[in-house]
Amino acid sequence: MNYRIEVSSRDIMASRFVVSKLIMTKTALWVLSGKKEAGPWRAWADRVREPYGRLLATEPGLPAMTALFRDHRYNADFPAPPPTGVNPPIEEELAVVRATPLAQAHDEIARNLEGMPRPPEAVLEILFSPDVVTLFADALRRAWEEIVAPAWPRFHAILERDVIQRAGRLAAYGWAAALDDLAPKVRWHPDGVIEVRSTTDETYRLDGRGVLFVPTVFPTGVGSYFEHAWPYALTYPARGAAIPHEPADGLSELIGRTRARVLLELAVPATTTRLTALLGLGLGTVGGHLAALRRAGLVASARTGRSVLYHRTALGDALAAADPGGP
């Protein structure tokens, strides 16, 4: 079964690729709760197990919220609604959560629990308490501060790279180019329909409102927001999120560890500024390594508007592909 999103030419102007700290926090909790695999973020997940455990013990809303997580069925939307801006502050996103009417929260939770094993009574008591919205928002705030925020510079660089690239494709070439490789379960049809593989058959019309595309670095699949008064939105795994942070020893020994990291990151074209954010290095350091890789014929550059994008050459691709830890 599939749900279909009917779009028009007007929807291109209204659609956006955006970053959400709150949705990133919720998808991080999916991974840490064991409901999704960590994939390339296994080392990060292992490092934050301790603070995650502390939050489970001190924030009653957290175990109750993660008890609702399930695949291929409805999940309550109010804990992490679509953002209202391109990259809003976490406080602004949490304010939307806190404004959720209690009746809506309880209705979504009841729908979420349909078909699930009955949770423990202590969890049910929290889920249907008059304070559930506040408890969820408090848990999300602390999860952001103690788990996601310390790694945000790298997370944000990956998300922003994906957003900039796909937004440029949408504006210049249309839906097919923007949605190419978005996710295996998402397909674009030339008759103006985005088709998403699902467990339900539904059809939604955008009618010029557009859709928000919200990437996450975690391999949590595609999520959808097509209810209530908020903007229509799809979440998806960001391109380039699986690029390893550390290269294998062989490639590092051949060209140096930092140059190997630069080469691996260029699986997705990037500017010098973007690479400094991804790698946590100075602009001059990254520029020097790019110059060396370019002289060796491993990378090339092309100007796009005011920016210079670096990308791997065929030789660079071959060398990166030979790295056992490479993408």
Side-chain angles (χ1 to χ4, degrees), residues 120-277:
E121 290 302 319
V123 170
L124 283 174
E125 184 177 343
I126 292 170
L127 290 177
F128 291 102
S129 76
D131 300 320
V132 64
V133 173
T134 298
L135 292 172
F136 277 22
D138 288 347
L140 286 162
R141 177 185 56 80
R142 287 197 62 196
W144 158 258
E145 291 174 350
E146 300 182 29
I147 294 174
V148 179
W152 185 246
R154 178 160 175 81
F155 289 163
H156 183 247
I158 292 171
L159 298 175
E160 194 171 49
R161 176 173 61 181
D162 181 272
V163 162
I164 290 171
Q165 185 180 49
R166 293 191 188 277
R169 286 184 185 178
L170 179 62
Y173 305 111
W175 291 100
L179 302 186
D180 179 44
D181 76 359
L182 190 78
K185 65 190 295 184
V186 178
R187 295 177 57 198
W188 165 254
H189 292 277
D191 59 348
V193 170
I194 302 170
E195 186 177 78
V196 183
R197 192 162 65 248
S198 176
T199 57
T200 60
D201 280 317
E202 300 284 349
T203 298
Y204 304 96
R205 293 180 60 89
L206 298 183
D207 292 326
R209 290 189 299 173
V211 62
L212 296 181
F213 296 94
V214 189
T216 174
V217 303
F218 300 108
T220 50
V222 175
S224 60
Y225 295 84
F226 286 94
E227 299 183 24
H228 304 299
W230 47 53
Y232 284 172
L234 285 173
T235 63
Y236 66 94
R239 185 175 181 229
I243 297 172
H245 190 54
E246 295 296 334
D249 291 341
L251 185 58
S252 294
E253 290 171 1
L254 182 63
I255 63 174
R257 176 177 169 274
T258 303
R259 287 177 189 169
R261 290 178 64 196
V262 172
L263 191 66
L264 292 179
E265 289 293 351
L266 288 177
V268 180
T271 64
T272 307
T273 302
R274 185 70 51 231
L275 287 169
T276 63

Side-chain angles (χ1 to χ4, degrees), residues 3-4 45 48 59 77 96 113 134 151 177 186 198 269 289 303 313:
Y3 61 83
R4 295 161 55 86
V48 299
E59 290 292 334
D77 291 327
V96 176
L113 290 172
T134 298
V186 178
S198 176
H289 288 303
R303 180 169 291 280
T313 62

Side-chain angles (χ1 to χ4, degrees), residues 76-92:
D77 291 327
F78 78 89
T84 55
V86 173
N87 188 9
I90 188 70
E91 295 81 9
E92 184 178 305

Side-chain angles (χ1 to χ4, degrees), residues 28-29 31-34 44-63 66 139 142-143 146-147:
L29 294 174
V31 169
L32 295 173
S33 67
W44 170 85
D46 290 343
R47 286 196 301 272
V48 299
R49 291 291 175 195
E50 185 177 343
Y52 176 67
R54 287 199 303 269
L55 290 183
L56 284 174
T58 59
E59 290 292 334
L62 184 56
T66 57
R142 287 197 62 196
E146 300 182 29
I147 294 174

